[in-house]
Amino acid sequence: MGQLSKYQKWAFVLPLIAVLIWSLNIAVTRYVADYISPVSISFYRWFVAFLILTPFMLPKVWKQRSLIVPYLPKLAVLSAFGMVLYQGLSYTAAHYTTATNMGIVNAFVPIFTIFISYFILKDAPNRFAIFGSLLSFAGLIYVMSQGHISSLFAQGGHWGDAVMVLAVGFYAFYGVFLKKWQLQLPLLTSLYVQIAFALLYHLPFLLWFGLDGINAENAASVFYAGVFPSLIAPLLWMVAVQAIGPNRTSIFMNLMPVFTAIIASLWLSEHWTVYHSIGGIMILIGIVMAQKKTPAKVAQLLRN
């Protein structure tokens, strides 16, 4: 029992490292926006991950092909939402907004998930979820308007933030579909097949927009994106979910705006302003409130 408790304590470090890796990737995304096109780095990211995984996963995938084939349509959808639309739009948003804002908007995933779950999973939100979502949305609008809500529509809003909101919406769909389908596949197998689909999806975009070359200015960013947020962070996150549970693990995602802001301040010289503080606090309070269960729901879970 003592050893298990000690292991679980150490397991709390894993999601912390994963969120730090993802937060740094947001800053990397903003930094490399000046040196490579969104479609190019998105393609390279998954190509690097695919190359690293192939020696280990291709033989396994071939042996498991009869198990995988029935799930191919669902894996294709998951890849489109989680790896192409979310990542591609994130890289596009980086051209028009700051890493700090991207980190704040990214924290909005749980709120989108609540309402998408209502339409797809018929999981009706309680009063805490509704009020928390409204509070978070107000905080998001406050950040996007840079503290001047009355002038939001007059100035057309912030294009990059709007694109990032769209990206986060697609990622929420990814999470909901993942929960709905509960694919009976090994996690690495599912990841590998989704990456393969992502590379195929990129081909028409590459034919249309072209592929930028890797050079001294973008090589490190491409390598980081292909290894750390694509492979290492998801693996750490999966181990953490198994060790301490999904609910405890998911709480660490709320640290992403904080980590991103610190990294962006030190590396990209971005400034954390009053409107970031006010909007960010509103978003985080709303997220925590939205995850609160009503007494009836708690009683039902205890009975089950």
Side-chain angles (χ1 to χ4, degrees):
M1 179 66 72
Q3 289 182 344
L4 179 60
S5 176
K6 184 177 180 181
Y7 169 70
Q8 287 179 326
K9 289 179 180 178
W10 275 106
F12 279 97
V13 179
L14 302 181
L16 195 65
I17 297 174
V19 170
L20 183 59
I21 290 173
W22 282 321
S23 300
L24 180 56
N25 187 59
I26 292 177
V28 169
T29 298
R30 178 63 191 90
Y31 166 78
V32 81
D34 297 327
Y35 303 107
I36 191 171
S37 70
V39 67
S40 295
I41 188 171
S42 182
F43 172 78
Y44 282 132
R45 170 180 181 168
W46 299 118
F47 185 65
V48 170
F50 186 78
L51 288 180
I52 293 173
L53 285 176
T54 293
F56 310 100
M57 293 306 304
L58 187 57
K60 294 181 180 180
V61 168
W62 180 251
K63 290 180 181 179
Q64 298 169 339
R65 62 189 184 277
S66 59
L67 175 65
I68 296 170
V69 168
Y71 293 113
L72 285 180
K74 293 178 179 178
L75 290 169
V77 172
L78 290 172
S79 176
F81 279 109
M83 296 184 176
V84 180
L85 292 170
Y86 169 66
Q87 295 297 341
L89 289 172
S90 297
Y91 287 123
T92 302
H95 284 262
Y96 306 101
T97 189
T98 64
T100 301
N101 279 26
M102 291 174 67
I104 290 175
V105 175
N106 214 77
F108 213 67
V109 170
I111 300 300
F112 275 121
T113 302
I114 288 172
F115 286 94
I116 294 172
S117 294
Y118 172 69
F119 290 104
I120 295 180
L121 304 179
K122 307 304 179 184
D123 187 6
N126 58 41
R127 62 180 182 272
F128 295 111
I130 294 173
F131 186 80
S133 299
L134 292 174
L135 181 61
S136 287
F137 183 73
L140 179 64
I141 294 297
Y142 193 79
V143 171
M144 290 177 63
S145 65
Q146 300 180 4
H148 299 89
I149 299 177
S150 60
S151 61
L152 177 65
F153 296 102
Q155 60 184 320
H158 201 303
W159 171 246
D161 293 336
V163 173
M164 193 62 197
V165 168
L166 186 61
V168 166
F170 281 122
Y171 193 75
F173 270 106
Y174 174 83
V176 171
F177 280 128
L178 205 59
K179 180 179 180 180
K180 176 181 174 63
W181 290 331
Q182 296 286 320
L183 305 184
Q184 300 301 309
L185 290 173
L187 292 174
L188 278 178
T189 299
S190 175
L191 177 64
Y192 183 73
V193 176
Q194 288 180 57
I195 291 174
F197 273 116
L199 293 177
L200 293 176
Y201 287 141
H202 277 82
L203 294 181
F205 294 101
L206 294 176
L207 291 173
W208 183 263
F209 293 105
L211 181 66
D212 293 345
I214 297 178
N215 52 46
E217 293 178 316
N218 60 38
S221 298
V222 168
F223 177 78
Y224 179 85
V227 176
F228 289 89
S230 302
L231 297 177
I232 295 178
L235 288 175
L236 293 176
W237 192 263
M238 284 184 251
V239 173
V241 168
Q242 292 177 347
I244 63 178
N247 292 333
R248 287 179 175 177
T249 304
S250 64
I251 293 173
F252 286 86
M253 289 299 290
N254 294 337
L255 292 172
M256 187 175 290
V258 179
F259 286 166
T260 303
I262 293 173
I263 295 168
S265 175
L266 295 175
W267 181 22
L268 304 176
S269 299
E270 294 183 4
H271 299 291
W272 183 270
T273 66
V274 174
Y275 70 80
H276 283 122
S277 297
I278 295 174
I281 290 172
M282 291 171 66
I283 290 172
L284 292 181
I285 291 176
I287 289 171
V288 172
M289 184 176 295
Q291 294 173 344
K292 182 177 175 63
K293 293 180 173 61
T294 59
K297 184 69 173 179
V298 172
Q300 181 182 357
L301 292 174
L302 291 176
R303 286 196 299 270
N304 294 336

